[in-house]
Structures are given as C-alpha cells and as structure tokens.
Amino acid sequence: KERRSGVGMRKSVWGCIVDSQLSVLVLVVVRQGDGEIPGQTDTTQPRRLGPKKVGKIRKLFNLSKLDDVRQYVVHRPLPEKDGRKARTKAPKIQRHVTPARNQRKKKVQAQKKHRTHK
C-alpha cells in the first residue's frame, strides 16, 4: 500500500458491486468471450509512437551494429497547417553512439587523467 500523498488508490473489480461515485475504472480484458465488445475488441488501434532506444529500434527492424539506425526511426506525421507542406516528427534516439559522443568521452577521460597527474 502506498503511503505517499497524491497516489491514486487502486479500485479493484472482481465480481463485486462497483461504487456509483467512481469516475474512471481501469480494466484489462484478460479473456475474450463469444461476442465482440463494440469499440473495444472489434477494432485494433496502431501504436502511436515507435521505439526511441537504439537497441529496441535494432530489435524491431532486425538490424546489425553496422546499419544506420537513424534511417529506421519511426516518424510521426503532423497535421498540416494552412498551406504548408506536411511535416513529420521523430524522437531523439537514446543510447546512440556517434563519433561526437566518442570524442566527448575521450576528452572527458583525458581531462580526468590530466587532473590527477599534477
């Protein structure tokens, strides 16, 4: 049980009467019955966003270490604004090892080494 302030209490539903004062119920369909639930199980919603981390992008597209991950990032189309051409947005790739990152790491290590050898 959470003791911190601001944490919502979990309302569990297991064959009991649900309170009429609840505004939201968080439910998960565990097992589907004979019929479809209209608006829930009869349609499939595509994921809105793709992966952001390098390893997960590589896993999704089955890439090797030598492939350029930036070519495979999932771009999200933005709505068009009065006459301008359509734009897309892509996430900043996390844990992406680039030459600039290697150079920065080398520089920091050299500075550390220089500080200790005075």
Side-chain angles (χ1 to χ4, degrees):
K1 183 179 177 184
E2 292 281 352
R3 298 285 181 204
R4 291 178 290 139
S5 62
V7 177
M9 281 185 59
R10 185 163 177 254
K11 315 286 194 298
S12 62
V13 181
W14 187 257
C16 59
I17 299 168
V18 180
D19 193 358
S20 62
Q21 295 174 350
L22 294 178
S23 60
V24 176
L25 274 178
V26 181
L27 300 174
V28 177
V29 178
V30 178
R31 189 172 55 236
Q32 193 172 333
D34 298 330
E36 299 279 341
I37 303 169
Q40 296 296 323
T41 57
D42 56 352
T43 58
T44 55
Q45 286 278 24
R47 280 179 152 185
R48 186 172 162 269
L49 302 173
K52 186 178 167 87
K53 207 183 286 183
V54 164
K56 295 198 175 186
I57 296 169
R58 282 199 181 114
K59 188 177 176 186
L60 178 68
F61 293 106
N62 200 16
L63 305 174
S64 69
K65 292 263 186 182
L66 302 174
D67 292 322
D68 188 12
V69 180
R70 293 172 296 180
Q71 306 287 315
Y72 294 90
V73 179
V74 178
H75 288 259
R76 178 170 61 94
L78 292 175
E80 290 185 33
K81 289 187 179 175
D82 31 284
R84 294 189 211 149
K85 65 178 184 178
R87 283 187 59 216
T88 59
K89 251 189 177 181
K92 179 179 178 282
I93 305 171
Q94 300 296 312
R95 294 189 183 180
H96 188 213
V97 181
T98 59
R101 186 169 165 181
N102 286 336
Q103 189 177 9
R104 196 178 312 120
K105 182 179 177 182
K106 217 172 174 181
K107 180 183 170 187
V108 169
Q109 285 175 340
Q111 286 174 342
K112 274 186 187 176
K113 193 174 181 182
H114 181 71
R115 278 199 302 266
T116 57
H117 284 288
K118 279 191 175 178

